Amino acid sequence: MKFLISLIIPLVICAQELTQFVDPFIGTGEYGHTFPGAVQPWGMVSVSPHTAPGTPSGYRHGAPFFYGFGQVHLSGTGCADLGSVLVMAARNIHFDPEKYKCTYGDEKAAPGFYSVRLNEPGVLAEATATPRCGFLRFTSEKDGDLTVLIDAGRSLALLGGGAVAIRSATEVEGYNISGGFCGEANRQTVYFAARFSEPVIKSGIWVDDRPVAATSATVEAQSIGAWLKFAGASEKFVLVKIGISYVSIANARENLDLEIVDWDFDRVRAEAQNAWQRELSRIQVEGGSRDDKTKFYSALYRTLIHPNIISDVNGEYPLMGRSGVGKISGRERYTIFSLWDTYRTLHPFLTLVYPERQLAMVQTMLDMYRESGFLPKWELAGNETYMMVGDPAAIVIADTYLKGLDDFDAALAYEAMTKPALLRDGEDAPPIRAGYHEQLQYGYIPFEQDTTQDWWVWGPVSTSLEYCLSDWAIGRVAEKLGRTNDAKEFFRRSHFYKNYFDANTQFLRPKRKNGEWLAPFDSLALEGSGSWAGAGGPGYVEGNAWHYTWFVPHDVKGLIDLFGGPQPFVKKLQRCFDENHFTIGNEPDIAYPYLFTYVCGEEWRTQKLVDEIMRDSFRTGPNGLRGDDDCGAISAWIVFSALGFYPACPASDEYRLGIPLFERARIRLNTQHYDGEEFVIEKIGNAGGRVSSPQLNGRPVTDFKMNHSQIVAGGKLVFEMK
């Protein structure tokens, strides 16, 4: 095995051209909630360390203890879930994590690889992954038998229980039940099949923290796991490969059979890094500092984690609602649709740079509609959690379709998009459109809510604004499909936002059923919308009036008119930044720096703000993100902004121009979906100046915007700096 290691190292080094700029530790500090473990692009499996059980990703950089490796994780979310099938190396046999935890050091991480030194057991632990399997290598640094623990009862959110069976001296199988995302009722079963590189000398099972004899029969319990002891010696290593499935143990075993055919850890590691190199190379940048490239490629890396595949190698996957098993061929099935976050940046980015993946994700969403009767809102492993607000799936599908990716049933998509919005009298609104009855009745969602008729509405102003954008997106699709009357009606509904505008305070603020403004009104209030900390000010979702007053991306010019014209609009918007009300980690805010481009002559403000945010708000190191990365939503903002343009309004086919971070960037286009081969962005002139004259294919861009169709046709965008 050591001979194989020496042969494979040159292959790993050759794959470092772009992966060397990826730091998986960025965002693993206190706020980002990312994970540093081994994962492939859009991989089902992510073998990642747990140092802070109960946190969203299970990991916090600098936490004092190491608890083991989970096999599946969420990246950048605000709540915990998954983290299933915990594997730990130890010298003694303990069943309580607080007893088998250890101190650790010398952490290293790269795309597809993670390693750490476990101090007390004296073990070097290394992890890599295939799309559906994890691979661990435990190398003893001192003599003595080595024990591997597999905890099948715990996940990051709850002690949901599970099962194990020791099938042979080298095989353990079972499952874990996870769930409880943000306190919701979702439950999912994660199946595993684990194999070891050598036979155990002794093994057993624990149930409720008590040892029981090893058995090949399946044992189920809430607190359950298996322990396996191997004869140890210094420099000896034990390899563990683990197949994962959301369908069955048999599928987990088949995934393992087909994806890791031998015990060559370094080959799998090299393949994982090569997979990342291939995907990262879709965009190549020149110039800028090493830190700039690290921020950029680390952000690009994080955009390619979710949504991730859930289908097994045989095409099977859990149906939406986990009501059975489906099977597909010719494409992958995806999961983790954090759509309230990702419709703004991540999905438009995938549409542009990875259209083949975005199409498969839209096709997955339509499959979910067929299976459950509704499009997903915040889907996790085949469960609908109904987290966050609005109707974001309609925006994602509209944005994809209107940008020319239409290899799906458009009629079915339109049916799915409009179903929650076309409510009949007396018909209950589904939770996807909570409060929509009242929005149609009043032209807004009143602050007082009748929960006997409808689902509770979290933040009526915020929720209503989200519906306005969704209705506008549906109207755009209706227009393209020739449904003129539908388009007019949905465009009419999209202007309901105007009913929240108070000309005296110049805020979008809550209203009562009688048409009066909610009083007293505090534009800075961040509590009162829900019973938990950080729920948002009265009427708002995780924010306040400053965060939502400009959230009208589909009708910025109409909002400008409500303010009384461009100058009052610019003045109030600038106050938002000057008084530190803007929050880059809050999704409704993230397009606001680009709103100045809607006012001729004020584009310089966008350039100044974007440049400051890129350089000051995002950094290298574990604390490089200011808040949750939200399944890549914030990372996609970084990537777009570094390239010099941004989708300020999804489903509009339009990008607003900012200021690029690099002297040159090249986007390699997918020629199976787009006519062009590449789109190039250049920055010339005074590096510290302002953009004076953007030019697209040699022609001035005086309105500081360009269309998706212009990019995918191929060409060059030049920013001349003065």
Side-chain angles (χ1 to χ4, degrees), residues 32-35 56-57 73-77 302 305-306 629-632:
H33 296 158
T34 60
F35 61 77
S57 72
H73 297 86
L74 298 174
S75 178
T77 57
R302 293 189 299 271
I305 293 176
H306 297 311
D629 195 43
D630 290 322
C631 296

Side-chain angles (χ1 to χ4, degrees), residues 133 195 243 250-262:
C133 304
R195 293 180 188 150
N251 279 15
R253 192 184 309 121
E254 185 178 9
N255 290 341
L256 186 55
D257 288 340
L258 295 179
E259 289 195 351
I260 307 182
V261 297
D262 54 27

Side-chain angles (χ1 to χ4, degrees), residues 98 105 161 173 197 206 238 488 498 605 624 684:
E98 293 304 315
E173 298 173 346
S197 56
W206 77 80
V238 173
K488 289 180 180 178
K498 295 179 181 179
R605 298 179 190 269
I684 61 175

Side-chain angles (χ1 to χ4, degrees), residues 653 669 679 696-697 701 705-716:
D653 188 43
L669 300 170
F679 187 75
L696 179 61
N697 297 327
V701 185
K705 66 179 182 181
M706 63 180 177
N707 294 329
H708 180 81
S709 57
Q710 293 174 309
I711 296 177
V712 299
K716 180 183 290 188

Side-chain angles (χ1 to χ4, degrees), residues 367-406:
D367 288 343
M368 292 176 177
Y369 171 71
R370 292 185 184 96
E371 295 158 11
S372 69
F374 291 101
L375 291 168
K377 186 171 184 175
W378 211 121
E379 178 273 347
L380 196 166
N383 292 298
E384 180 55 77
T385 69
Y386 295 117
M387 283 305 302
M388 304 311 296
V389 299
D391 186 4
I395 304 170
V396 171
I397 294 175
D399 185 71
T400 306
Y401 182 67
L402 294 167
K403 288 175 178 174
L405 299 184
D406 54 6

Side-chain angles (χ1 to χ4, degrees), residues 569-570 573-574 577 590-599 601-614 637 641 644-646 648 656-660 690-691 704 719:
F569 173 82
V570 169
L573 182 58
Q574 187 61 53
F577 292 94
I590 57 180
Y592 294 171
Y594 290 91
L595 297 186
F596 292 106
T597 65
Y598 288 85
V599 179
E602 303 293 345
E603 300 88 358
W604 65 272
R605 298 179 190 269
T606 290
Q607 298 160 28
K608 181 175 182 292
L609 287 166
V610 171
D611 187 65
E612 289 175 352
I613 294 167
M614 286 296 302
W637 188 98
S641 295
F645 57 94
Y646 183 81
R656 311 302 298 193
L657 301 189
I659 182 169
R690 294 178 182 171
V691 178
F704 282 79
F719 291 83

Side-chain angles (χ1 to χ4, degrees), residues 167-397:
R167 297 301 188 194
S168 72
T170 59
E171 296 177 302
V172 177
E173 298 173 346
Y175 62 80
N176 168 255
I177 299 172
S178 58
F181 182 69
C182 292
E184 297 296 325
N186 67 294
R187 296 291 184 271
Q188 55 273 339
T189 303
V190 180
Y191 300 91
F192 72 93
R195 293 180 188 150
F196 300 86
S197 56
E198 63 177 89
V200 301
I201 58 174
K202 193 174 183 181
S203 63
I205 294 172
W206 77 80
V207 174
D208 297 329
D209 298 330
R210 296 189 306 273
V212 299
T215 173
S216 61
T218 300
V219 179
E220 299 176 322
Q222 186 175 47
S223 176
I224 188 168
W227 57 271
L228 305 103
K229 181 174 286 189
F230 300 88
S234 181
E235 297 188 8
K236 180 179 179 179
F237 53 81
V238 173
L239 296 166
V240 188
K241 50 187 183 181
I242 307 168
I244 294 294
S245 169
Y246 286 87
V247 173
S248 67
I249 291 174
N251 279 15
R253 192 184 309 121
E254 185 178 9
N255 290 341
L256 186 55
D257 288 340
L258 295 179
E259 289 195 351
I260 307 182
V261 297
D262 54 27
W263 293 99
D264 192 342
F265 180 93
D266 291 284
R267 177 188 59 77
V268 175
R269 173 186 173 183
E271 289 175 352
Q273 292 195 340
N274 288 337
W276 279 110
Q277 174 67 21
R278 286 193 301 272
E279 301 302 342
L280 295 172
S281 66
R282 298 267 185 118
I283 304 178
Q284 299 200 22
V285 300
E286 300 173 15
S289 66
R290 185 177 181 86
D291 277 359
D292 289 338
K293 290 177 180 175
T294 297
K295 287 191 291 187
F296 178 81
Y297 281 110
S298 298
L300 180 56
Y301 166 86
R302 293 189 299 271
T303 66
L304 309 184
I305 293 176
H306 297 311
N308 56 264
I309 61 173
I310 194 173
S311 50
D312 294 320
V313 291
N314 63 9
E316 292 184 342
Y317 62 89
L319 294 172
M320 187 64 172
R322 302 188 71 84
S323 56
V325 176
K327 189 170 185 176
I328 57 174
S329 62
R331 61 178 170 90
E332 306 283 11
R333 168 84 169 207
Y334 288 83
T335 186
I336 316 300
F337 285 88
S338 175
L339 296 175
W340 182 85
D341 306 290
T342 56
Y343 83 76
R344 308 164 199 270
T345 54
L346 178 67
H347 285 289
F349 175 70
L350 296 177
T351 294
L352 175 62
V353 185
Y354 303 90
E356 72 286 357
R357 295 284 179 172
Q358 177 62 16
L359 264 176
M361 291 172 189
V362 169
Q363 290 163 344
T364 291
M365 293 166 67
L366 294 178
D367 288 343
M368 292 176 177
Y369 171 71
R370 292 185 184 96
E371 295 158 11
S372 69
F374 291 101
L375 291 168
K377 186 171 184 175
W378 211 121
E379 178 273 347
L380 196 166
N383 292 298
E384 180 55 77
T385 69
Y386 295 117
M387 283 305 302
M388 304 311 296
V389 299
D391 186 4
I395 304 170
V396 171
I397 294 175

